[in-house]
Amino acid sequence: MPEFLLRGWTGEDGRLERYNRPHKCVHVRRVYTSEVGFENLLYDFAPHEPHFPGLERAYFAPIDNLAAKARRKLLNDHEREWSSELRSAWSRFLMSLLHRTPAALEVFREGVIRMTIRGSAGVEDLWSRIRNEDDPQSWLEYCLAENPHFLEQRPLELLPRVIENKELGLRLNRMLWAVVRPTYRNWSFLTSDSPLVVSDSLTKPNSHVALALSANALFVAVTAKSTLETIVDMGDRAIFENYNQIVVDRAAKFVASVDQTQDRFIRNNFGRKPVVLISPIFREFYDQAA
C-alpha cells in the first residue's frame, strides 16, 4: 500500500490504527503510515542483479508521486478540468494497485513463467527465421543460455507493460469520475492491503471502480451516470457497509482505520474472503504481454 494513500487515515499524532493477523488472532496497534504495509524489496529483481534499482524505486515511485497529486485534486477540486497527464497518472495508479500485494505478484510471476515455458507459436516461428545456425533451437533455450536467471526476471520485466495496458487505461480515463462523501454517525471508510473495488468487467454499462481516498472520501469511476446515481441512492450507511465489507473481507496483511470505532467488525471479518483481483481481470493481458 503506497504510504501517501494511508495518510487519509491518520490523526493529529500522524498515526492510524493498524489491524493485522500474524497468526490466529487479530491484533491492533497505533502506528505511523511507514509501519503499515511496506514489504522490503517486494518488486526488486533477484539478488544476483544488485546494480538494478528495482521496480519500487525505478517504476512505482514516479507513479506514486503523480498519483499523490491526483489524489489531492480529487479531494479538493476534482470537478475542474484535468490535464491528460494527471488523469492518466491516476488511471495508471489504479491499475498498479491490482499488482501491489505479495499474493498478486506471486500470481503474476507464476502465470508469466508458466506461459513463457509453454511458449508461443508466433514467437518460435519468428525465432526460427532469425536464429543463427549455431543458436539453440528454441527462443527460451537461447534466452536461458544468455541469462540463466531469465525466467526469474521476466515477470518483473513484463509487469510495467501489463500495468501500462493502453486499452484499459483509456477505459478508465473515459469513465465518469466522482468523489462520494457519506456521513453516518461514527462510521468511516476502512482500507486494507486490497483496497480497490472493481466490477467483473469494465466494458459493461454498470462497470465501476471504487477506492477510498481517506476515512471520509470515496473515489468512484463509472461507465454510466446511472450507476453513480444507484450508488448514491444506496444511502450513506450502505455505502460505508458495502465498501468496508469488501476491503476487510479481502485483507491478507492489514486493515487500517482512523480509530477503533469499528473494532468488532474488523475482527469478525478480517480476511474472510481473500481474493487476487488480477487473476480474472488480467488473464487476457498476460497473453498479450508474454
Side-chain angles (χ1 to χ4, degrees), residues 188-200:
S188 62
F189 288 115
L190 304 172
T191 191
S192 73
D193 53 286
S194 185
L196 192 65
V197 176
V198 186
S199 55
D200 292 339

Side-chain angles (χ1 to χ4, degrees), residues 2 13 41 45 62 64 72 98 105 113-114 168 184 193 217 239 241 249 258 273 279 281 287:
D13 60 354
L41 303 180
F45 280 82
D64 290 351
R72 287 196 294 271
L98 295 168
L105 185 59
I113 290 174
R114 185 169 58 251
L168 184 56
Y184 185 79
D193 53 286
I239 292 173
E241 284 182 335
D249 277 349
V258 69
K273 301 176 182 178
S279 297
I281 294 176
D287 287 319

Side-chain angles (χ1 to χ4, degrees), residues 165-183:
N165 183 274
K166 291 183 179 179
E167 180 182 351
L168 184 56
L170 284 173
R171 289 180 192 171
L172 287 168
N173 280 355
R174 292 169 179 169
M175 295 174 83
L176 172 64
W177 292 6
V179 176
V180 180
R181 300 176 184 270
T183 57

Side-chain angles (χ1 to χ4, degrees), residues 52-86:
F52 188 80
L55 292 182
E56 189 64 52
R57 285 172 289 167
Y59 180 67
F60 285 109
I63 287 179
D64 290 351
N65 289 338
L66 279 175
K69 295 180 181 179
R71 175 181 173 272
R72 287 196 294 271
K73 180 172 176 58
L74 284 165
L75 290 172
N76 298 317
D77 62 346
H78 71 90
E79 294 182 349
R80 293 187 183 180
E81 185 176 354
W82 284 71
S83 68
S84 58
E85 178 189 27
L86 201 57

Side-chain angles (χ1 to χ4, degrees), residues 141-268:
E141 290 174 336
Y142 170 79
C143 293
L144 289 171
E146 291 292 308
N147 176 12
H149 306 293
F150 173 74
L151 282 176
E152 300 170 55
Q153 295 178 5
R154 186 156 174 76
L156 293 179
E157 291 171 353
L158 290 179
L159 184 58
R161 195 182 306 178
V162 172
I163 291 174
E164 299 284 341
N165 183 274
K166 291 183 179 179
E167 180 182 351
L168 184 56
L170 284 173
R171 289 180 192 171
L172 287 168
N173 280 355
R174 292 169 179 169
M175 295 174 83
L176 172 64
W177 292 6
V179 176
V180 180
R181 300 176 184 270
T183 57
Y184 185 79
R185 296 182 183 174
N186 294 322
W187 288 47
S188 62
F189 288 115
L190 304 172
T191 191
S192 73
D193 53 286
S194 185
L196 192 65
V197 176
V198 186
S199 55
D200 292 339
S201 170
L202 293 183
T203 60
K204 297 178 180 178
N206 63 343
S207 298
H208 60 276
V209 176
L211 175 70
L213 301 173
S214 69
N216 56 21
L218 182 70
F219 166 79
V220 178
V222 296
T223 303
K225 186 177 181 180
S226 58
T227 304
L228 177 60
E229 293 170 348
T230 299
I231 293 172
V232 173
D233 288 344
M234 290 168 55
D236 289 357
R237 176 173 176 172
I239 292 173
F240 280 126
E241 284 182 335
N242 280 272
Y243 183 82
N244 288 350
Q245 189 72 62
I246 292 172
V247 300
V248 176
D249 277 349
R250 291 176 177 175
K253 295 290 184 178
F254 73 87
V255 170
S257 176
V258 69
D259 55 33
Q260 294 188 30
T261 303
Q262 299 175 79
D263 181 86
R264 178 176 295 183
F265 171 81
I266 296 171
R267 292 180 184 276
N268 290 343

